[in-house]
Amino acid sequence: MVRFKNRYVLCEVLSDDPRCRQCIEERAVGLAVRDAIGRVHGDYGLACCSISFTVKYLNAYTGTVLLRCRKDSYRLLCSALPFVRHLESRNQRYPCALNTLHVGGTIRTCQKFLIQYNRRQLLMLLQNCTNEEERQCIQKSLLSCSLTEEQSQSGDEEDDDGTE
């Protein structure tokens, strides 16, 4: 059996309208990206990208979107992302843009990049603080930003019932 390799494209939704981020849905992002691919690359590009294209993760609060596509067609996807100009949700159009942050081979590499990216953004905010209260709040956010591995509970624990 052959394993199909995928690429994961990490994007952020940029918008002047704060209501846009709250109304984002996975379906709306997927339709907007497919529409942009169809406009830029035609039927061929749309067919190539649609084979395994999905929106794997969407965080409406931060505007972070993780898209998955086939390894063969990720360049078509990345070249069409700047042409997404609006998202339609609940019969309303919200003007926005998709900014590509990272392209990775696994979701884990995208997650690691996102943690480092958020950490850099928080450091920039820390440098622009005006009072001590803001500074302490951002420092607390920086310290809580880490990636830890959880050990599997099955098999690692030994029975403590007193018998040997």
Side-chain angles (χ1 to χ4, degrees), residues 53 57 88 106 111 148:
F53 174 78
Y57 174 74
E88 285 189 37
T106 62
Q111 181 185 25
T148 58

Side-chain angles (χ1 to χ4, degrees), residues 37-102:
I37 293 170
R39 280 185 283 129
V40 174
H41 298 293
D43 291 337
Y44 173 76
L46 188 59
C48 287
C49 291
S50 292
I51 292 173
S52 78
F53 174 78
T54 56
V55 178
K56 293 300 282 183
Y57 174 74
L58 172 70
N59 189 336
Y61 296 108
T62 60
T64 305
V65 179
L66 186 67
L67 307 170
R68 182 189 76 185
C69 69
R70 280 273 195 60
K71 182 181 178 183
D72 301 337
S73 60
Y74 82 93
R75 287 189 178 102
L76 294 174
L77 173 68
C78 289
S79 65
L81 288 178
F83 295 96
V84 174
R85 293 290 169 214
H86 63 273
L87 294 175
E88 285 189 37
S89 179
R90 299 181 186 123
N91 296 326
Q92 290 189 355
R93 283 184 148 187
Y94 298 102
C96 68
L98 290 178
N99 181 24
T100 303
L101 298 175
H102 181 72

